[in-house]
Amino acid sequence: MKNFQNEVKKLRWGFVGTGKIAQRIMVAFELVPEAEVVAAYSRNIKAMQEFCDQWEIPKRYETVEELVNDPEVDIVYLATPHIVHYEHTMKALQAGKHVLCEKPIAMSAQETQGMVDLAREKGVFLMEALWSRFFPISVWLRELIASGKMGKVSNVMADFSYQAEYDPEYRFFKKELGGGAMRGAGIYPLSMAVMVFGEIPCEIKAMAETRNGVDLRSSALLRFPCGGTAQIYTGFQSESVWAANIAFEKGAVYIPNFWHPDRAYIIRDGEAVETVEMPFTFPGFQFEIIETMKCIQAGRTECSVMPLEESIALAGVMDEMYRQWNVE
């Protein structure tokens, strides 16, 4: 962190949303002294007051408009359900605030495009907070691919699925609240495949189990313009191993817990020949926070690790999957 402290001045953050994800992210903010959380908003006033008391956040707002118009807030972290990401992000951008928005950034490519257009019009920073991109192992993987040491990548297999108790009123399972496994969890394996190939799939074959207009689990086969392929799986109704397997010409890379990885294995002839370990301090959100602050300090309005055009394209891929499932 010492080098970072020399590079970046303090930024004042406002939190929109104070639920479970916000609690986890606040642990990471404690690891980045240059990131000062000065304000918070939640529609649940009692929970917001408790959140602010716990983390010693001085300003507590009962409307999003009040928070985003606070001149002492430089950047907004959106930790609300994705059904309201568009509404909250547009309000923050319109007020001239930088925004780091939890994944998925929006409910559709159209919404994402609107957010990107406004951010560019206002000249402010916007990024989808896909934390998996910023872990040291993810950086190592991108560098390995770019080096060509293991040849070209031909295939990616990635899965992220877990068992959640079905409750038709809970937001995971309720269409009106933005429910669905692909947007909620599937963005991780989808993003991994796109990151590895460095391009958006040109062919998508997806299938899903749906109930009440919500995808409970799904699989997809993807083909990329370079000729590479990927198989991804996600869901809220079954357990999977949470791993990524990347097939190269000269071996493979296996990454357990690829969405927040601390190690990877280089595989040849079915055996691990090298272990790459890159431990990190829990929880890991600090990497995206630091990268965001570096970008803003450098005057950049987007991040090359998670570019805005890619967020639009990822949303478009998910739009196509939902179209194939007849789920709008």
Side-chain angles (χ1 to χ4, degrees), residues 104-171:
I105 194 168
M107 291 293 292
S108 67
Q110 182 178 7
E111 284 189 354
T112 308
Q113 183 70 64
M115 294 156 72
V116 170
D117 288 346
L118 184 57
R120 288 173 173 166
E121 176 188 328
K122 295 292 184 177
V124 294
F125 180 88
L126 172 64
M127 189 177 82
E128 184 172 19
L130 201 61
W131 69 323
S132 53
R133 288 284 177 98
F134 298 92
F135 284 87
I137 283 290
S138 299
V139 176
W140 168 84
L141 176 61
R142 291 194 294 271
E143 292 174 347
L144 176 68
I145 295 168
S147 74
K149 291 179 181 178
M150 294 183 63
K152 293 181 180 179
V153 177
S154 61
N155 190 69
V156 175
M157 298 176 64
D159 64 272
F160 183 57
S161 178
Y162 54 91
Q163 180 69 35
E165 182 179 355
Y166 183 78
D167 178 353
E169 295 305 311
Y170 185 55
R171 68 179 183 89

